[in-house]
Amino acid sequence: MVIVLKQDASKEQINHVVEVVRSLGARTHISRGEERTIIGVIGDKRNVQKEQLMALPGVENVISILQPYKLVSREFKHDDTIVRVNGVEIGGGTPVMIAGPCSVENERQIIESAWIVKNHGGQLLRGGAFKPRTNPYSFQGLGVEGLRLLQKAKEETGLPIVTEVMQAGDAELVAEYSDILQIGARNMQNYMLLKAVGRLDKPVLLKRGMSATLKEFLMSAEYIMSEGNNNVILCERGIRTFVDFTRNTLDLNIVPAIKKLSHLPIIVDPSHGTGRTDLVIPMGLAGLAAGADGLMVEIHPNPEKAWSDADQTLNPEQFAELMHKFKHFIEWQKSLYAEI
Ligand code: PEP
Ligand code: MN
């Protein structure tokens, strides 16, 4: 249920509505838009009557949301959410580029990677310090040392950091060193972790689970938002299918489908989505054509030597080519909208 307040509703009226909802046993989620404030009613709504809320001063309308996901839905919030990170806008209409190595390996590697991203016009640096690996004997990431190196790369280049948090207990630690907290595909349904990052004041990049349906994906985003964190970015990174010539199947259908149902930004990761360097550029561009708010790609100064995901990693020249096409795409997109 969503309570839409009148444009001129006063602070006192809004507070009163919140108090009434709470006294009825439900929880509230306030979203202050440019024009008006809306209050999501979540949790136990057994005692909440639409008519009672409609009668409160300052209330314009009370809408029931039929889908199980509420706060992430377009019915709750009509306008696109823009996530702002150190001056970069994700979801503001111009696609953004997040790039960096799969894993942070050492100081030189991450600083070099950061400069490659920066010099070609990428806006955010990615890099895993805590790595979810299928094989327990594979490199598991540098941990806290990796976070420190990412911070150093940020200090040198000014690029904000995106890095993965794997367990709820690490959420605050990883948040100290990063600008966006990544939740990996394998953890999309780790509800304790989703709640933990939902309580932090830090944007979250939620990757789609490899067998997650659209509904499950949005429900996971709902977990984060229901704890009070509105800054959620979704990421399509490929799903498991019978296809065996790529690591995953990049499900670009979900991009426009999500845009219809949700106000949250969605980006595309063609690196994990294909698992093949030769497919990253075409599928990244396809993601943009599908309406993605940005891309996340894996790059490395020398992919042959990468400690993880070498087969899907772009070298500096390939990244330069992607950025060249990416910028052209943005120009084309602008001229297309100008025509309409
Ligand atoms: C990653 O971004 O390096 C990663 C581990 O991705 P995913 O969780 O999508 O597999
Ligand atoms: Mn990877």
Side-chain angles (χ1 to χ4, degrees), residues 138-210:
S138 300
F139 175 56
Q140 303 284 307
L142 295 180
V144 180
E145 174 59 12
L147 296 176
R148 290 204 188 100
L149 296 178
L150 283 166
Q151 198 176 38
K152 210 160 183 190
K154 179 181 174 180
E155 279 163 15
E156 285 212 13
T157 60
L159 291 175
I161 302 298
V162 183
T163 195
E164 178 160 355
V165 51
M166 282 175 56
Q167 51 181 2
D170 288 345
E172 285 185 27
L173 169 78
V174 179
E176 263 178 53
Y177 291 90
S178 65
D179 299 287
I180 298 182
L181 293 164
Q182 178 174 323
I183 303 291
R186 292 155 190 80
N187 267 320
M188 190 205 81
Q189 287 182 313
N190 180 340
Y191 300 120
M192 298 310 283
L193 178 59
L194 298 177
K195 285 187 183 184
V197 297
R199 287 191 287 269
L200 298 177
D201 184 21
K202 191 69 46 153
V204 177
L205 177 68
L206 177 66
K207 298 191 87 175
R208 181 184 184 184
M210 50 187 99

Side-chain angles (χ1 to χ4, degrees), residues 102 126 131 247 272 298 308-309 312:
C102 179
R126 63 146 287 146
K131 294 303 302 176
R247 181 178 180 184
H272 293 85
E298 289 182 337
S308 55
D309 286 349
Q312 64 191 39

Side-chain angles (χ1 to χ4, degrees), residues 277-278 281 299 303 313-323:
T277 301
D278 61 334
I281 296 178
I299 67 143
T313 296
L314 302 180
N315 65 29
E317 291 72 39
Q318 290 161 331
F319 182 62
E321 182 191 337
L322 172 61
M323 284 309 297

